[in-house]
Amino acid sequence: QKEVEQNSGPLSVPEGAIASLNCTYSDRGSQSFFWYRQYSGKSPELIMSIYSNGDKEDGRFTAQLNKASQYVSLLIRDSQPSDSATYLCAVVTSGGYNKLIFGAGTRLAVHP
Amino acid sequence: EPEVTQTPSHQVTQMGQEVILRCVPISNHLYFYWYRQILGQKVEFLVSFYNNEISEKSEIFDDQFSVERPDGSNFTLKIRSTKLEDSAMYFCASTRSGTGELFFGEGSRLTVL
């Protein structure tokens, strides 16, 4: 069973701080990794994709990938109350045909 | 901005009844998906569809489930005989490239009584 694991949280950070979200995955052959954001009662929305080891920055968001450790992370700089949501790590499994598997998500709460 | 649209937004049905959930993917997208999310749980893969056929399905997607793309724009999920445990939010998603960068619809909430 190919799994994606995340700490469920909640992760509580003050406004303006850096929020750090982590994810591990079991399928060593996975090559494509994603972070989605899901507000309560809404659908998932893509924030970042990352395919190579290292860091990828997009505005206040930085995704980090370490394939050797099977570890993906998302940093949110200058956190805002509007960032309060559940963050879903997702992985395209190897040997499948574009099958995207989600972790259970980490709930982030940014307090003013 | 193009979006994935889903209907109905909420459906209540009796156990054993057939349900059809409808989706209109983004027009130039080629890969289509159904996911479900039971309240408080994770988003679970059901099925992927490409080139007018199922490309992959999960163990959840048993003989009670089927998908169709009847007319080149709609993408439907049918549940033949609903069970209580089918109560969930069902999300349709599409992508042009098949890379995992999915665009999700707003979801159809199914309540089975």
Side-chain angles (χ1 to χ4, degrees):
Chain A
Q1 184 83 357
K2 296 171 182 176
E3 300 284 348
V4 179
E5 299 290 340
Q6 296 182 255
N7 187 322
S8 62
L11 173 66
S12 182
V13 301
E15 184 173 356
I18 295 175
S20 177
L21 305 157
N22 304 314
C23 168
T24 58
Y25 59 94
S26 63
D27 181 5
R28 187 167 285 280
S30 295
Q31 298 295 323
S32 306
F33 309 89
F34 306 86
W35 284 98
Y36 283 77
R37 177 175 61 200
Q38 187 176 29
Y39 291 111
S40 182
K42 301 294 187 182
S43 57
E45 172 193 15
L46 179 67
I47 303 174
M48 295 279 293
S49 59
I50 187 165
Y51 302 97
S52 305
N53 279 329
D55 294 1
K56 178 182 177 183
E57 188 174 314
D58 183 359
R60 294 187 297 113
F61 298 98
T62 299
Q64 299 173 315
L65 174 61
N66 183 326
K67 290 183 183 178
S69 301
Q70 295 175 239
Y71 178 88
V72 195
S73 66
L74 179 71
L75 299 177
I76 306 174
R77 285 182 299 284
D78 188 25
S79 296
Q80 301 297 309
S82 58
D83 294 327
S84 298
T86 298
Y87 289 80
L88 310 178
C89 177
V91 175
V92 174
T93 60
S94 64
Y97 196 88
N98 306 313
K99 181 179 176 181
L100 186 67
I101 298 299
F102 286 86
T106 298
R107 191 158 58 91
L108 173 66
V110 181
H111 52 88
Chain B
E1 186 174 315
E3 58 181 21
V4 176
T5 56
Q6 290 186 242
T7 54
S9 56
H10 188 192
Q11 180 154 359
V12 181
T13 191
Q14 295 291 323
M15 191 168 55
Q17 294 298 302
E18 177 182 283
V19 160
I20 297 176
L21 305 178
R22 292 183 167 80
C23 170
V24 179
I26 294 172
S27 62
N28 63 349
H29 284 188
L30 303 174
Y31 299 80
F32 314 113
Y33 306 81
W34 284 101
Y35 284 81
R36 79 171 186 191
Q37 188 173 31
I38 295 170
L39 189 63
Q41 298 187 25
K42 69 162 114 179
V43 177
E44 297 177 290
F45 171 83
L46 291 179
V47 66
S48 59
F49 193 88
Y50 171 70
N51 201 25
N52 286 319
E53 62 183 21
I54 290 174
S55 46
E56 191 150 2
K57 58 185 180 180
S58 72
E59 54 276 5
I60 302 168
F61 194 90
D62 62 20
D63 291 345
Q64 293 300 310
F65 290 87
S66 62
V67 289
E68 259 194 335
R69 188 157 161 78
D71 57 11
S73 61
N74 289 283
F75 179 50
T76 62
L77 175 69
K78 182 193 290 188
I79 309 174
R80 230 176 303 281
S81 177
T82 49
K83 307 184 189 70
L84 295 176
E85 54 266 35
D86 293 328
S87 294
M89 181 72 90
Y90 288 81
F91 292 112
C92 175
S94 69
T95 180
R96 177 164 176 74
S97 60
T99 59
E101 298 182 4
L102 270 52
F103 291 79
F104 282 82
E106 289 299 308
S108 293
R109 179 166 297 286
L110 176 64
T111 302
V112 183
L113 303 176

